Amino acid sequence: MNTIVDWVIELMKDIGGPGIALAIFLENIFPPIPSEVILPLAGFTAAQGHYTRAEAVLWATLGSVTGALLLYGIGAALGMDRLRVIAHKMPLVDVADVDKADAWFTKHGPKAVFFGRFIPGIRSLISIPAGIDRMRVTSFLAYTTAGSLLWNTLFVWIGFQLGDRYHLVEEYMDPISKVVYVLIILAVLGTVAWMVRRSMRRRHDPDDFIDAESLD
């Protein structure tokens, strides 16, 4: 971790704002360290006079949006049709599950994209279902930029104020991030358990299960 942090600091010092954008872009695609560490580092190097706070925020937001667009493109390339085919071949997943998730995202997608930018683990991944759902690119960009701008401004400002004590941000955010990750894991395990139970019910009482579904 220290090696990566040193690399990020040198990257920001050597090439300035574009280094922030590159680090945040990589964090979106393959997160070696979270943005809660990168952004305070950007604020710290801004405090040293390598660039202004506004430049740090703008470059960080550019990196966030660029990374989100790439993941959106991956989701769009996958598409609902391919996802339905994959769901049909998976043992515990129904195509109806995909359709329900798609209907939910169609209704709540803008809020999910905006607030997802504030949640560790969800921040990057939320762009993929947005692409699968073919959410309008203009709306996706607007909500992604708004959420990223708020998040980046907060942590760059904190890093700027803390100076060489920027590492305190990681110490306070790490427990919060771990709690969020645990909740995500529990949600995934709960969903898998529900799917297994549904599959077992279907095996034992297929007729009753079909009748129950028809009532929905």
Side-chain angles (χ1 to χ4, degrees), residues 75-195:
L78 176 62
M80 282 300 301
D81 291 339
R82 288 192 180 91
L83 191 60
R84 289 190 181 98
V85 171
I86 294 172
H88 182 71
K89 295 179 179 179
M90 296 179 69
L92 299 177
V93 181
D94 284 346
V95 175
D97 295 333
V98 175
D99 292 334
K100 290 176 181 177
D102 180 55
W104 183 92
F105 200 91
T106 299
K107 183 178 181 180
H108 302 286
K111 290 184 289 186
V113 169
F114 176 78
F115 290 107
R117 301 304 302 180
F118 306 110
I119 305 174
I122 302 297
R123 185 179 306 115
S124 299
L125 296 179
I126 195 63
S127 301
I128 297 177
I132 293 173
D133 188 62
R134 298 297 175 91
M135 181 179 180
R136 284 198 307 174
V137 176
T138 51
S139 296
F140 175 76
L141 283 174
Y143 286 102
T144 298
T145 301
S148 299
L149 189 61
L150 288 173
W151 180 265
N152 296 342
T153 299
L154 173 63
F155 282 92
V156 167
W157 179 82
I158 292 174
F160 188 91
Q161 296 299 319
L162 288 175
D164 58 7
R165 296 174 297 154
Y166 65 86
H167 57 84
L168 293 176
V169 178
E170 182 185 4
E171 293 180 15
Y172 283 100
M173 285 299 299
D174 188 56
I176 298 174
S177 297
K178 287 179 179 177
V179 170
V180 172
Y181 287 132
V182 168
L183 291 175
I184 292 173
I185 292 171
L186 290 176
V188 171
L189 292 176
T191 301
V192 172
W194 175 80
M195 289 179 171

Side-chain angles (χ1 to χ4, degrees), residues 17-107:
I20 303 173
L22 177 59
I24 293 295
F25 173 81
L26 294 175
E27 184 267 338
N28 271 264
I29 305 304
F30 178 71
I33 50 176
S35 61
E36 297 93 317
V37 175
I38 298 175
L39 293 171
L41 281 172
F44 166 60
T45 50
Q48 292 183 319
H50 293 278
Y51 36 72
T52 67
R53 277 183 295 176
E55 288 173 330
V57 170
L58 291 175
W59 280 108
T61 303
L62 177 62
S64 299
V65 173
T66 305
L69 273 175
L70 177 58
L71 294 175
Y72 176 95
I74 292 173
L78 176 62
M80 282 300 301
D81 291 339
R82 288 192 180 91
L83 191 60
R84 289 190 181 98
V85 171
I86 294 172
H88 182 71
K89 295 179 179 179
M90 296 179 69
L92 299 177
V93 181
D94 284 346
V95 175
D97 295 333
V98 175
D99 292 334
K100 290 176 181 177
D102 180 55
W104 183 92
F105 200 91
T106 299
K107 183 178 181 180

